[in-house]
Amino acid sequence: MQTEVFSEIFPLMSTANPQTLEWLLNVATMHEYPAGRAVLMEDSWGNAVYFILSGWVKVRRTNSEDTRALAILGKGDFFGEMAILDESPRSTDVIALSAVELISVSRESFIQILFKDSQLHHRMLQLMVRRMRYVNLRLQMRGAPPAVKLSHTLVTLGESYGEQAEKGKNIYNIPLQDLADVTDIGIEETTQIMQKLHEKAWVNINTAQDMIHLLNFKQLVNLAGKI
């Protein structure tokens, strides 16, 4: 992969110098996973940073009683950096929602890259702070109506990973249970809200193409802003 293409896919790399990108790609390992396959297991956190070239994954917490999706990630995002930096174990794993292409960079190599490129180091800190702000926003939204919370999830996925379409944006057809989990509402509420959004022609689930069409993105943004 050319360094220019890699830089365009990943906002994290927008300030990295070409030498950094070339070195990173030289030490990276390519991975491909089918839908449903475990990408990263609980005992593997901290070994590498993973960059999503294509496809969608979910970060999932598992325990003896149940499993719950914590986050949905798509093309242009990355995961594993927190475990590398704090060297602590994780009680989560990562599952491919769709077919996924990734590249991984080992813990040792990634730390060397951060020390070599101060701009990339600074950019990494910025993105980590942004993620913390998103977590804080989700906490603030706990008391918001379920429709507002679900709209916020759809808008965030559309803005972060959606493909521009003639009408609105397209995102992967994420299972309703996973949408419910990351939104922190019930599956019945999620099903009912998605049905109402479909009736309003704001969204359309296309099972044949495995897509959710966010047809009226402006209205979803307006609804998501009613916190």
Side-chain angles (χ1 to χ4, degrees):
M1 174 179 290
Q2 295 181 344
T3 56
E4 295 85 356
V5 175
F6 188 75
S7 179
E8 289 177 1
I9 293 176
F10 295 96
L12 171 64
M13 299 299 172
S14 61
T15 59
N17 63 59
Q19 292 78 14
T20 297
L21 295 178
E22 185 174 353
W23 194 79
L24 184 149
L25 291 174
N26 284 336
V27 299
T29 302
M30 178 72 75
H31 307 270
E32 294 184 5
Y33 297 93
R37 180 71 61 84
V39 173
L40 185 62
M41 300 302 292
E42 175 183 341
D43 57 359
S44 298
W45 282 97
N47 295 336
V49 177
Y50 293 80
F51 297 86
I52 305 173
L53 295 174
S54 66
W56 296 73
V57 304
K58 66 176 176 180
V59 181
R60 183 183 69 174
R61 172 176 290 139
T62 61
N63 55 45
S64 58
E65 297 179 358
D66 61 5
T67 62
R68 182 181 180 86
L70 301 178
I72 306 293
L73 305 176
K75 176 181 176 181
D77 215 330
F78 58 96
F79 56 90
E81 79 291 347
M82 289 293 289
I84 279 181
L85 296 176
D86 67 13
E87 300 183 6
S88 63
R90 291 289 185 269
S91 59
T92 55
D93 52 24
V94 178
I95 307 295
L97 289 174
S98 67
V100 177
E101 289 183 327
L102 307 161
I103 63 170
S104 66
V105 178
S106 70
R107 176 182 183 276
E108 294 76 13
S109 295
F110 193 71
I111 290 176
Q112 288 180 35
I113 291 169
L114 291 180
F115 277 117
K116 285 182 178 181
D117 193 327
S118 60
Q119 290 295 325
L120 178 59
H121 196 171
H122 181 68
R123 181 64 172 156
M124 169 66 79
L125 292 175
Q126 286 181 320
L127 293 178
M128 291 174 67
V129 169
R130 184 181 300 175
R131 287 184 174 183
M132 291 300 298
R133 286 176 177 168
Y134 178 70
V135 172
N136 290 334
L137 178 58
R138 288 183 62 178
L139 291 175
Q140 295 173 17
M141 292 183 64
R142 280 187 170 178
V148 172
K149 295 167 70 174
L150 183 56
S151 295
H152 183 268
T153 296
L154 294 173
V155 167
T156 299
L157 292 173
E159 290 178 338
S160 300
Y161 317 116
E163 296 180 356
Q164 193 65 43
E166 184 178 349
K167 291 184 177 180
K169 296 178 182 288
N170 295 333
I171 62 174
Y172 182 71
N173 185 18
I174 299 162
L176 292 182
Q177 183 62 64
D178 292 333
L179 276 179
D181 287 347
V182 298
T183 306
D184 197 25
I185 60 177
I187 182 63
E188 292 185 4
E189 290 175 315
T190 301
T191 303
Q192 293 171 0
I193 294 167
M194 289 298 287
Q195 180 61 38
K196 289 180 180 179
L197 294 176
H198 174 76
E199 292 171 356
K200 290 176 174 287
W202 290 11
V203 304
N204 180 54
I205 298 178
N206 188 328
T207 55
Q209 296 182 357
D210 264 340
M211 286 185 179
I212 297 178
H213 303 298
L214 307 178
L215 300 173
N216 198 330
F217 200 72
K218 182 178 179 180
Q219 289 292 356
L220 288 172
V221 170
N222 290 339
L223 179 56
K226 296 180 180 179
I227 303 174

